[in-house]
Amino acid sequence: VQLVESGGGLVQAGGSLRLSCATSGGVFSNYGIGWFRQAPGKEREFVAAISWPSGTNTRYADFVKGRFTISRDNAKNTVQLQMDSLKPGEKAVYHCAGKYKNFPTRPGEAEYWGQGTQVTVSS
């Protein structure tokens, strides 16, 4: 399974970005998808995840609840992460990750990773 992230960029504090994770090489609806981020000098951390096959269940890290929304489109084999009210400390490389018939909420649980997309938030 291959995952490719897009949608990162530079945004001012308080602004929004919408990240997308495109997948190929597997039956997309069999995979739960998570978003993680890694800031320079820090460990990779969980951001949000969505269940298979239809995304009925979602989970969020406490620090993004109410600001970020994860969703999936099985017809397009994509998962989106809508990020609102971004903060300067959220500058990081954001990665999507997949797990067969489960959803990863820890980096060690993921089976497949994308290369990541850079998000920079200016103050």
Side-chain angles (χ1 to χ4, degrees), residues 16-27:
S16 299
L17 282 174
R18 186 175 180 87
L19 305 184
S20 184
C21 175
T23 69
S24 62
V27 179

Side-chain angles (χ1 to χ4, degrees), residues 99-117:
K99 185 173 178 65
Y100 183 72
K101 293 191 174 181
N102 208 325
F103 53 3
T105 59
R106 298 177 180 177
E109 295 175 347
E111 295 172 327
Y112 305 96
W113 288 94
Q115 291 299 308
T117 185

Side-chain angles (χ1 to χ4, degrees), residues 39-108:
K42 295 187 177 181
E43 294 186 350
R44 192 167 294 188
E45 63 180 358
F46 170 73
V47 176
I50 191 163
S51 64
W52 88 105
S54 58
T56 303
N57 295 317
T58 57
R59 292 187 185 175
Y60 296 92
D62 287 344
F63 51 77
V64 303
K65 285 181 180 177
R67 300 187 297 121
F68 290 13
T69 303
I70 190 170
S71 60
R72 68 187 295 155
D73 184 340
N74 286 349
K76 297 181 179 179
N77 290 357
T78 60
V79 170
Q80 289 75 42
L81 183 68
Q82 177 67 39
M83 306 189 296
D84 299 321
S85 302
L86 282 161
K87 303 175 181 179
E90 295 184 303
K91 173 184 176 179
V93 177
Y94 284 70
H95 299 265
C96 62
K99 185 173 178 65
Y100 183 72
K101 293 191 174 181
N102 208 325
F103 53 3
T105 59
R106 298 177 180 177

